[in-house]
Amino acid sequence: ADTVEKKELRGSLIKCVEQLGEPDSTIIIQKYFFGRSSKEIAEIVQISADNVRARCSRAVKRLKDVLLAAGFTR
């Protein structure tokens, strides 16, 4: 039962991340799901590493609001 819950949670989380739109959703997924560096992500989304870091910071704040609105709690 635990693995089914984890799969559902992961699916819900990914849907929330996708609501951020591109390139922010890609940045969040690459950084937090795959552990890639800002430099690696910059090559994927074709923006500077500094821009990746700035967008990531803003996207995390937006994601927090999206998650709270979707019923996730701390």
Side-chain angles (χ1 to χ4, degrees):
D2 189 39
T3 55
V4 171
E5 267 183 38
K6 280 185 179 177
K7 280 184 183 174
E8 286 178 7
L9 181 62
R10 188 180 182 106
S12 297
L13 184 56
I14 289 172
K15 282 182 185 146
C16 289
V17 170
E18 287 172 347
Q19 286 181 38
L20 298 174
E22 290 298 341
D24 295 350
S25 59
T26 295
I27 291 169
I28 294 291
I29 288 169
Q30 293 299 320
K31 182 171 179 71
Y32 295 104
F33 284 78
F34 297 109
R36 292 203 165 89
S37 71
S38 296
K39 186 176 181 217
E40 290 172 310
I41 298 167
E43 291 174 15
I44 294 167
V45 296
Q46 300 292 299
I47 60 175
S48 72
D50 286 341
N51 206 345
V52 167
R53 285 188 282 277
R55 289 194 79 108
C56 186
S57 178
R58 288 193 300 266
V60 166
K61 289 176 185 154
R62 285 185 27 237
L63 180 58
K64 185 177 166 188
D65 293 337
V66 170
L67 291 171
L68 290 172
F72 283 86
T73 56
R74 292 174 185 240

